[in-house]
Amino acid sequence: MLRTLDRWLVKIEEQILSYSIILIAVMVIGNVLSRAITGSSWAFHQEVSRFAVTVATFMGISYAARKGRHISMSAFYDLAPFPIRKALAIIIPAITAFVLFVLSVFAYDYFMSLVASGRVTTAMQVPVYLFAAFVPIGFVLGGIQFLRNMWVNIKEKEVYLAQEKKDYS
């Protein structure tokens, strides 16, 4: 059941990320064309683009952790002998997951303060909290993925960067 849920989650993440990137491209290109052809910008393009960038950024945390494509400072890690690399492959995801879960609490509090404020965007008059809704979700899903990365390194003999991606060194 968990594998089926995980497969669905991957598909949902991929769809959200894909449509966010497409939306960013449409907004940027469309606004440039609008300025060039009509001489005026779209009033809503900045809000839509900001929303799409926020969604892509925070939902991308989980996807990058799942695929082992997250940013890492690996100079010492790459030079370390196997036992130290193995320990770091367990400790680093654990700390990262903890930080992401703590950040998700702060993001949720911020989200709830936006809900309570009732603020809306300038151009589209959309509730501002919709922009922040994906932030705590992205942090929680990212934390879960890093816990999974930690668990696979506890369970397996080799060093893994992600659930299905072995260490390259």
Side-chain angles (χ1 to χ4, degrees), residues 1-17 59 62-63 66-67 137-138 140-142 144-145 148:
M1 185 174 138
L2 286 177
R3 287 180 204 250
T4 304
L5 178 66
D6 187 50
R7 274 182 276 177
W8 275 97
L9 186 60
V10 171
K11 295 289 184 197
I12 291 168
E13 286 174 345
E14 288 173 347
Q15 293 295 315
I16 290 171
L17 291 171
M59 292 304 289
S62 173
Y63 191 75
R66 175 187 303 275
K67 300 295 183 181
I137 294 168
V140 168
L141 292 176
I144 291 168
Q145 290 306 319
R148 290 179 69 196

Side-chain angles (χ1 to χ4, degrees), residues 46-154:
Q46 186 176 8
E47 291 175 4
V48 174
S49 296
R50 185 177 299 149
F51 174 71
V53 167
T54 302
V55 170
T57 300
F58 290 98
M59 292 304 289
I61 293 171
S62 173
Y63 191 75
R66 175 187 303 275
K67 300 295 183 181
R69 299 287 190 179
H70 47 81
I71 295 173
S72 61
M73 306 300 170
S74 62
F76 295 116
Y77 176 85
D78 291 342
L79 296 173
F82 178 80
I84 293 174
R85 271 199 335 265
K86 184 66 173 175
L88 288 174
I90 295 168
I91 294 167
I92 292 171
I95 293 170
T96 304
F98 175 76
V99 169
L100 288 175
F101 289 136
V102 169
L103 288 173
S104 73
V105 171
F106 289 119
Y108 179 76
D109 289 344
Y110 178 66
F111 169 75
M112 292 309 293
S113 73
L114 290 175
V115 170
S117 75
R119 290 180 16 210
V120 294
T121 62
T122 308
M124 296 188 313
Q125 298 296 303
V126 174
V128 174
Y129 66 82
L130 292 178
F131 287 76
F134 287 92
V135 178
I137 294 168
F139 281 143
V140 168
L141 292 176
I144 291 168
Q145 290 306 319
F146 277 103
L147 285 179
R148 290 179 69 196
N149 294 349
M150 177 194 74
W151 178 249
V152 76
N153 279 300
I154 290 170

Side-chain angles (χ1 to χ4, degrees), residues 7-57:
R7 274 182 276 177
W8 275 97
L9 186 60
V10 171
K11 295 289 184 197
I12 291 168
E13 286 174 345
E14 288 173 347
Q15 293 295 315
I16 290 171
L17 291 171
S18 298
Y19 285 117
S20 294
I21 299 302
I22 291 168
L23 186 58
I24 293 167
V26 167
M27 286 295 110
V28 171
I29 294 168
N31 192 53
V32 168
L33 290 175
S34 176
R35 268 197 323 245
I37 294 169
T38 67
S40 64
S41 293
W42 293 342
F44 59 88
H45 96 278
Q46 186 176 8
E47 291 175 4
V48 174
S49 296
R50 185 177 299 149
F51 174 71
V53 167
T54 302
V55 170
T57 300

